[in-house]
Amino acid sequence: MVVLGFPHLFVIFMVALVLFGPDKMPELVKTVAGVWREVIRLRTELNSTVQDTVGSLLVDMPKLPSLDSVMQAIETDRGSLQDRERQ
């Protein structure tokens, strides 16, 4: 499983900022957040289906970070970038 840490997310954010520009970033963040919510919903649905089918043989799947923590990290990055631009 691929683990994305803060440095990876920061690079992804910077590439997105360069590709889409600051005007499109709010729309992009909303789209990514919607996709993230859907991924979490589908994962939860799949997890419950597997639990119903397999029962006690299921090994717990690692939990995805909450949407709130992802959005907070994005806002923190945005604030850091704005502070750097002001300097």
Side-chain angles (χ1 to χ4, degrees), residues 15-84:
V15 169
L17 185 62
V18 169
L19 290 176
F20 298 104
D23 296 336
K24 296 270 184 177
M25 285 304 289
E27 181 182 329
L28 181 65
V29 169
K30 287 179 187 176
T31 303
V32 168
V35 169
W36 193 258
R37 265 188 241 112
E38 185 67 14
V39 165
I40 291 172
R41 185 189 68 76
L42 290 172
R43 181 190 168 272
T44 302
E45 185 179 316
L46 176 64
N47 192 16
S48 74
T49 301
V50 170
Q51 282 181 349
D52 291 344
T53 305
V54 177
S56 64
L57 298 176
L58 177 69
V59 176
D60 288 336
M61 295 168 50
K63 296 192 184 246
L64 294 173
S66 70
L67 178 61
D68 292 333
S69 65
V70 172
M71 294 302 291
Q72 185 178 13
I74 290 172
E75 289 299 323
T76 302
D77 290 346
R78 183 181 297 162
S80 297
L81 289 173
Q82 289 173 348
D83 291 343
R84 288 181 188 173

